Amino acid sequence: MMAGRKRSTARGGAIATTVVALILLAAYAFSGPLIGTGGDGATRHERSPTGTATPTSAPPIAHDLAPSAASQVLVDAGLIDPVASGLGAGDTAWRVDVPAVEALLASRPVDDRGTPLRYDRDAFGQRWADVDRNGCDQRNDVLARDLVQLTLREGNSCVVVAGVLQDVYTDTNIIFERGQDTSAEVQIDHVVPLAWAWQHGASGWSEIERQQFANDLANLLAVDGRTNSSKSSSGPGEWLPPAADHSCEYVTRWVFVLDRYGLAVGTDDRAVIEDTLDRC
């Protein structure tokens, strides 16, 4: 009788183990495969069926002519219109809708506070959070949007490891290669800097609003690293892109972001924006 009970117990344990294994297998199949972790430690879901690191198809780079793909948000907002430039087949120029931008700028209150507020970067939340919940952090989203001739990390459809940037701040083409000594050559700029926004209204926002602002693709551009460092937290009154041909688009984006988040603007910044729009 004892041996019979042992065999029965063993058989029951084997059945239970099999059931648990089937449940775990079904749960894995439902959730989908997971692909490693990013630099921020966030586990990512695979976004492509292959996951191979092959260069994506991309249009040829029209040096000094084609603007960054990031300008699409301004097209969608009706603030700039793509028009044939007459410079050659396939070339593109951008025409700023100056009255529309001026109207947005006029709606912004003036803030010329004399004593700067103490800036707190941590108040803007996680750096490069996946606020749009597409499975990739915002840094890689911007690189994938603004670079051409992309190469993605093998087995991870989020991480951009190489590409070419046509920089709208310097009008030069920059080769991007991910690495400890090379990644900084292409940086992600907050067009309206966080520290500037902090002084002009963001200090009174909720943490959720600040994190959204810090990761908003409309306010992010992949740009030349050294030029971005020289800009720091300056407003238009102190800094405009060295490539003057892109100043119209730059201040247009500034005004769009100010209006989008209800930010105030200083007198000097307003004056430079207005002067730039007069020449667009």
Side-chain angles (χ1 to χ4, degrees), residues 138-181:
Q138 301 302 88
R139 173 178 168 78
N140 280 295
D141 278 342
V142 176
L143 291 174
R145 181 195 65 188
D146 292 355
L147 274 59
V148 297
Q149 300 176 10
L150 294 177
T151 299
L152 304 177
R153 176 179 292 171
E154 186 170 2
N156 190 321
S157 60
C158 287
V159 179
V160 177
V161 298
V164 179
L165 171 70
Q166 186 188 8
D167 179 41
V168 295
Y169 285 177
T170 62
D171 247 345
T172 59
N173 293 336
I174 302 172
I175 304 298
F176 170 75
E177 293 183 359
R178 188 182 184 92
Q180 182 175 351
D181 299 325

Side-chain angles (χ1 to χ4, degrees), residues 13-279:
I15 293 173
T17 301
T18 301
V19 171
V20 171
L22 289 173
I23 291 174
L24 291 176
L25 182 60
Y28 176 81
F30 179 79
S31 62
L34 296 177
I35 305 298
T37 59
D40 56 5
T43 303
R44 311 229 182 276
H45 286 272
E46 186 177 11
R47 291 198 301 174
S48 68
T50 61
T52 56
T54 56
T56 60
S57 60
I61 301 171
H63 181 55
D64 294 331
L65 297 174
S68 166
S71 299
Q72 186 60 46
V73 68
L74 303 181
V75 175
D76 295 341
L79 298 179
I80 57 177
D81 297 316
V83 294
S85 66
L87 298 175
D91 295 339
T92 305
W94 295 100
R95 181 180 61 218
V96 174
D97 187 342
V98 174
V101 181
E102 289 178 333
L104 288 183
L105 180 62
S107 71
R108 297 294 87 228
V110 175
D111 184 357
D112 283 323
R113 69 180 71 229
T115 304
L117 300 172
R118 183 177 178 181
Y119 166 58
D120 184 0
R121 174 59 182 86
D122 290 339
F124 286 86
Q126 177 185 340
R127 289 165 173 78
W128 311 131
D130 179 18
V131 296
D132 53 8
R133 298 183 180 180
N134 68 348
C136 299
D137 65 70
Q138 301 302 88
R139 173 178 168 78
N140 280 295
D141 278 342
V142 176
L143 291 174
R145 181 195 65 188
D146 292 355
L147 274 59
V148 297
Q149 300 176 10
L150 294 177
T151 299
L152 304 177
R153 176 179 292 171
E154 186 170 2
N156 190 321
S157 60
C158 287
V159 179
V160 177
V161 298
V164 179
L165 171 70
Q166 186 188 8
D167 179 41
V168 295
Y169 285 177
T170 62
D171 247 345
T172 59
N173 293 336
I174 302 172
I175 304 298
F176 170 75
E177 293 183 359
R178 188 182 184 92
Q180 182 175 351
D181 299 325
T182 57
S183 288
E185 293 181 11
V186 172
Q187 298 178 11
I188 308 301
D189 179 40
H190 289 93
V191 177
V192 177
L194 302 186
W196 189 98
W198 181 262
Q199 304 297 332
H200 295 82
S203 60
W205 296 348
S206 69
E207 293 182 5
I208 293 177
E209 289 172 321
R210 285 193 289 262
Q211 178 162 287
Q212 177 65 43
F213 177 84
N215 292 280
D216 191 337
L217 295 178
N219 191 37
L220 299 175
L221 286 176
V223 298
D224 172 60
R226 283 176 292 185
T227 304
N228 185 45
S229 296
S230 71
K231 171 188 171 181
S232 187
S233 59
S234 300
E238 301 174 307
W239 190 93
L240 287 174
D245 288 346
H246 292 289
S247 292
C248 290
E249 180 188 337
Y250 180 77
V251 299
T252 296
R253 186 176 297 277
W254 253 85
V255 174
F256 174 79
V257 174
L258 295 186
D259 182 72
R260 185 180 180 110
Y261 286 91
L263 289 167
V265 60
T267 301
D268 291 344
D269 291 324
R270 182 190 292 273
V272 170
I273 292 173
E274 289 174 339
D275 181 64
T276 300
L277 290 172
D278 286 342
R279 292 181 276 108

